[in-house]
mmCIF file of all heavy atoms in Angstrom:
data_model
loop_
_atom_site.group_PDB
_atom_site.id
_atom_site.type_symbol
_atom_site.label_atom_id
_atom_site.label_comp_id
_atom_site.label_asym_id
_atom_site.label_seq_id
_atom_site.Cartn_x
_atom_site.Cartn_y
_atom_site.Cartn_z
ATOM 1 N N SER C 299 0.847 -1.190 0.020
ATOM 2 C CA SER C 299 0.007 0.011 0.001
ATOM 3 C C SER C 299 0.898 1.235 0.022
ATOM 4 O O SER C 299 2.103 1.161 0.271
ATOM 5 C CB SER C 299 -0.927 0.004 1.214
ATOM 6 O OG SER C 299 -0.195 0.007 2.416
ATOM 7 N N GLY C 300 0.265 2.391 -0.299
ATOM 8 C CA GLY C 300 1.047 3.617 -0.346
ATOM 9 C C GLY C 300 1.421 3.957 -1.760
ATOM 10 O O GLY C 300 0.600 3.796 -2.686
ATOM 11 N N SER C 301 2.657 4.409 -1.994
ATOM 12 C CA SER C 301 3.117 4.864 -3.283
ATOM 13 C C SER C 301 3.498 3.667 -4.163
ATOM 14 O O SER C 301 4.674 3.530 -4.599
ATOM 15 C CB SER C 301 4.264 5.821 -3.130
ATOM 16 O OG SER C 301 3.902 6.949 -2.344
ATOM 17 N N ILE C 302 2.537 2.872 -4.486
ATOM 18 C CA ILE C 302 2.821 1.613 -5.186
ATOM 19 C C ILE C 302 3.324 1.867 -6.589
ATOM 20 O O ILE C 302 4.116 1.093 -7.124
ATOM 21 C CB ILE C 302 1.539 0.757 -5.234
ATOM 22 C CG1 ILE C 302 1.081 0.450 -3.812
ATOM 23 C CG2 ILE C 302 1.768 -0.515 -6.019
ATOM 24 C CD1 ILE C 302 -0.281 -0.162 -3.743
ATOM 25 N N SER C 303 2.913 2.954 -7.209
ATOM 26 C CA SER C 303 3.319 3.235 -8.588
ATOM 27 C C SER C 303 4.856 3.419 -8.677
ATOM 28 O O SER C 303 5.419 3.294 -9.754
ATOM 29 C CB SER C 303 2.622 4.456 -9.105
ATOM 30 O OG SER C 303 2.911 5.590 -8.301
ATOM 31 N N SER C 304 5.505 3.706 -7.571
ATOM 32 C CA SER C 304 6.947 3.912 -7.593
ATOM 33 C C SER C 304 7.729 2.600 -7.558
ATOM 34 O O SER C 304 8.948 2.592 -7.778
ATOM 35 C CB SER C 304 7.353 4.775 -6.386
ATOM 36 O OG SER C 304 7.146 4.077 -5.179
ATOM 37 N N ILE C 305 7.036 1.513 -7.349
ATOM 38 C CA ILE C 305 7.705 0.212 -7.199
ATOM 39 C C ILE C 305 7.841 -0.471 -8.541
ATOM 40 O O ILE C 305 6.894 -0.530 -9.332
ATOM 41 C CB ILE C 305 6.924 -0.663 -6.230
ATOM 42 C CG1 ILE C 305 6.926 -0.048 -4.849
ATOM 43 C CG2 ILE C 305 7.488 -2.061 -6.187
ATOM 44 C CD1 ILE C 305 8.293 0.179 -4.278
ATOM 45 N N ASN C 306 9.009 -1.066 -8.787
ATOM 46 C CA ASN C 306 9.202 -1.865 -9.990
ATOM 47 C C ASN C 306 9.387 -3.363 -9.697
ATOM 48 O O ASN C 306 8.782 -4.191 -10.342
ATOM 49 C CB ASN C 306 10.390 -1.348 -10.780
ATOM 50 C CG ASN C 306 10.060 -0.239 -11.708
ATOM 51 O OD1 ASN C 306 9.386 -0.447 -12.712
ATOM 52 N ND2 ASN C 306 10.456 0.972 -11.366
ATOM 53 N N ASP C 307 10.242 -3.674 -8.730
ATOM 54 C CA ASP C 307 10.462 -5.080 -8.414
ATOM 55 C C ASP C 307 10.100 -5.364 -6.945
ATOM 56 O O ASP C 307 10.258 -4.504 -6.100
ATOM 57 C CB ASP C 307 11.922 -5.471 -8.643
ATOM 58 C CG ASP C 307 12.210 -5.822 -10.082
ATOM 59 O OD1 ASP C 307 11.881 -4.997 -10.951
ATOM 60 O OD2 ASP C 307 12.716 -6.926 -10.306
ATOM 61 N N MET C 308 9.652 -6.564 -6.721
ATOM 62 C CA MET C 308 9.403 -7.015 -5.357
ATOM 63 C C MET C 308 10.123 -8.350 -5.140
ATOM 64 O O MET C 308 10.220 -9.151 -6.054
ATOM 65 C CB MET C 308 7.901 -7.160 -5.100
ATOM 66 C CG MET C 308 7.212 -5.800 -5.199
ATOM 67 S SD MET C 308 5.482 -5.846 -4.649
ATOM 68 C CE MET C 308 5.692 -6.068 -2.905
ATOM 69 N N GLY C 309 10.598 -8.513 -3.915
ATOM 70 C CA GLY C 309 11.354 -9.726 -3.621
ATOM 71 C C GLY C 309 10.919 -10.392 -2.342
ATOM 72 O O GLY C 309 10.264 -9.775 -1.487
ATOM 73 N N TRP C 310 11.307 -11.667 -2.235
ATOM 74 C CA TRP C 310 11.117 -12.387 -0.994
ATOM 75 C C TRP C 310 12.513 -12.765 -0.452
ATOM 76 O O TRP C 310 13.343 -13.272 -1.192
ATOM 77 C CB TRP C 310 10.307 -13.647 -1.225
ATOM 78 C CG TRP C 310 8.849 -13.412 -1.420
ATOM 79 C CD1 TRP C 310 8.182 -13.314 -2.602
ATOM 80 C CD2 TRP C 310 7.899 -13.207 -0.392
ATOM 81 N NE1 TRP C 310 6.835 -13.076 -2.402
ATOM 82 C CE2 TRP C 310 6.635 -13.031 -1.018
ATOM 83 C CE3 TRP C 310 7.912 -13.201 0.989
ATOM 84 C CZ2 TRP C 310 5.453 -12.793 -0.315
ATOM 85 C CZ3 TRP C 310 6.751 -12.976 1.691
ATOM 86 C CH2 TRP C 310 5.527 -12.782 1.049
ATOM 87 N N PHE C 311 12.715 -12.499 0.811
ATOM 88 C CA PHE C 311 13.950 -12.854 1.490
ATOM 89 C C PHE C 311 13.584 -13.739 2.698
ATOM 90 O O PHE C 311 12.449 -13.801 3.124
ATOM 91 C CB PHE C 311 14.648 -11.594 2.029
ATOM 92 C CG PHE C 311 15.270 -10.771 0.905
ATOM 93 C CD1 PHE C 311 14.453 -9.949 0.137
ATOM 94 C CD2 PHE C 311 16.626 -10.779 0.671
ATOM 95 C CE1 PHE C 311 15.015 -9.179 -0.892
ATOM 96 C CE2 PHE C 311 17.191 -10.003 -0.350
ATOM 97 C CZ PHE C 311 16.363 -9.211 -1.137
ATOM 98 N N ARG C 312 14.597 -14.380 3.214
ATOM 99 C CA ARG C 312 14.397 -15.171 4.443
ATOM 100 C C ARG C 312 15.631 -15.087 5.324
ATOM 101 O O ARG C 312 16.768 -14.872 4.824
ATOM 102 C CB ARG C 312 14.069 -16.630 4.107
ATOM 103 C CG ARG C 312 15.190 -17.407 3.437
ATOM 104 C CD ARG C 312 14.676 -18.799 3.000
ATOM 105 N NE ARG C 312 15.694 -19.564 2.319
ATOM 106 C CZ ARG C 312 15.455 -20.758 1.790
ATOM 107 N NH1 ARG C 312 14.237 -21.284 1.795
ATOM 108 N NH2 ARG C 312 16.456 -21.401 1.180
ATOM 109 N N GLN C 313 15.394 -15.219 6.617
ATOM 110 C CA GLN C 313 16.503 -15.185 7.547
ATOM 111 C C GLN C 313 16.288 -16.240 8.621
ATOM 112 O O GLN C 313 15.295 -16.197 9.350
ATOM 113 C CB GLN C 313 16.617 -13.795 8.151
ATOM 114 C CG GLN C 313 17.863 -13.634 9.018
ATOM 115 C CD GLN C 313 18.166 -12.169 9.317
ATOM 116 O OE1 GLN C 313 17.323 -11.285 9.240
ATOM 117 N NE2 GLN C 313 19.419 -11.876 9.681
ATOM 118 N N ALA C 314 17.204 -17.197 8.658
ATOM 119 C CA ALA C 314 17.174 -18.225 9.651
ATOM 120 C C ALA C 314 17.957 -17.778 10.885
ATOM 121 O O ALA C 314 18.865 -16.908 10.749
ATOM 122 C CB ALA C 314 17.738 -19.516 9.105
ATOM 123 N N PRO C 315 17.698 -18.356 12.049
ATOM 124 C CA PRO C 315 18.472 -17.951 13.289
ATOM 125 C C PRO C 315 19.955 -18.081 13.043
ATOM 126 O O PRO C 315 20.443 -19.107 12.605
ATOM 127 C CB PRO C 315 17.923 -18.904 14.338
ATOM 128 C CG PRO C 315 16.579 -19.301 13.841
ATOM 129 C CD PRO C 315 16.661 -19.318 12.349
ATOM 130 N N GLY C 316 20.692 -17.010 13.377
ATOM 131 C CA GLY C 316 22.109 -17.063 13.288
ATOM 132 C C GLY C 316 22.677 -16.924 11.906
ATOM 133 O O GLY C 316 23.909 -17.014 11.683
ATOM 134 N N LYS C 317 21.797 -16.701 10.915
ATOM 135 C CA LYS C 317 22.278 -16.578 9.521
ATOM 136 C C LYS C 317 21.908 -15.205 8.971
ATOM 137 O O LYS C 317 21.072 -14.525 9.465
ATOM 138 C CB LYS C 317 21.667 -17.681 8.679
ATOM 139 C CG LYS C 317 22.123 -19.083 9.046
ATOM 140 C CD LYS C 317 21.639 -20.100 8.031
ATOM 141 C CE LYS C 317 22.148 -21.486 8.356
ATOM 142 N NZ LYS C 317 21.686 -22.507 7.348
ATOM 143 N N GLU C 318 22.601 -14.876 7.852
ATOM 144 C CA GLU C 318 22.317 -13.618 7.206
ATOM 145 C C GLU C 318 21.022 -13.719 6.410
ATOM 146 O O GLU C 318 20.561 -14.808 6.034
ATOM 147 C CB GLU C 318 23.475 -13.228 6.286
ATOM 148 C CG GLU C 318 24.768 -12.910 6.998
ATOM 149 C CD GLU C 318 25.826 -12.403 6.045
ATOM 150 O OE1 GLU C 318 25.600 -12.405 4.827
ATOM 151 O OE2 GLU C 318 26.899 -11.991 6.544
ATOM 152 N N ARG C 319 20.444 -12.555 6.135
ATOM 153 C CA ARG C 319 19.248 -12.521 5.320
ATOM 154 C C ARG C 319 19.591 -12.951 3.899
ATOM 155 O O ARG C 319 20.558 -12.482 3.309
ATOM 156 C CB ARG C 319 18.644 -11.112 5.332
ATOM 157 C CG ARG C 319 17.252 -11.036 4.757
ATOM 158 C CD ARG C 319 16.564 -9.734 5.114
ATOM 159 N NE ARG C 319 16.386 -9.597 6.548
ATOM 160 C CZ ARG C 319 15.612 -8.667 7.093
ATOM 161 N NH1 ARG C 319 14.998 -7.778 6.352
ATOM 162 N NH2 ARG C 319 15.503 -8.599 8.397
ATOM 163 N N GLU C 320 18.757 -13.828 3.352
ATOM 164 C CA GLU C 320 19.037 -14.467 2.081
ATOM 165 C C GLU C 320 17.924 -14.120 1.060
ATOM 166 O O GLU C 320 16.751 -14.334 1.397
ATOM 167 C CB GLU C 320 19.141 -15.984 2.260
ATOM 168 C CG GLU C 320 19.268 -16.766 0.964
ATOM 169 C CD GLU C 320 19.197 -18.273 1.219
ATOM 170 O OE1 GLU C 320 18.310 -18.719 1.995
ATOM 171 O OE2 GLU C 320 19.991 -19.004 0.610
ATOM 172 N N GLY C 321 18.308 -13.679 -0.104
ATOM 173 C CA GLY C 321 17.309 -13.455 -1.146
ATOM 174 C C GLY C 321 16.842 -14.782 -1.709
ATOM 175 O O GLY C 321 17.664 -15.660 -1.961
ATOM 176 N N VAL C 322 15.515 -14.918 -1.897
ATOM 177 C CA VAL C 322 14.920 -16.177 -2.352
ATOM 178 C C VAL C 322 14.426 -16.027 -3.763
ATOM 179 O O VAL C 322 14.646 -16.910 -4.605
ATOM 180 C CB VAL C 322 13.801 -16.562 -1.393
ATOM 181 C CG1 VAL C 322 13.056 -17.797 -1.919
ATOM 182 C CG2 VAL C 322 14.335 -16.823 -0.002
ATOM 183 N N SER C 323 13.647 -14.961 -4.004
ATOM 184 C CA SER C 323 12.983 -14.825 -5.290
ATOM 185 C C SER C 323 12.603 -13.366 -5.476
ATOM 186 O O SER C 323 12.479 -12.613 -4.521
ATOM 187 C CB SER C 323 11.756 -15.695 -5.346
ATOM 188 O OG SER C 323 11.053 -15.549 -6.550
ATOM 189 N N CYS C 324 12.395 -12.991 -6.766
ATOM 190 C CA CYS C 324 11.886 -11.656 -7.021
ATOM 191 C C CYS C 324 11.069 -11.664 -8.305
ATOM 192 O O CYS C 324 11.162 -12.578 -9.100
ATOM 193 C CB CYS C 324 12.990 -10.621 -7.082
ATOM 194 S SG CYS C 324 14.146 -10.855 -8.398
#
């Protein structure tokens, strides 16, 4: 929601305990 028109790509990330945030898909 909000200024959606400004957005081009969206992604999914995940972060497991003790690990860095990892890109999954976009």
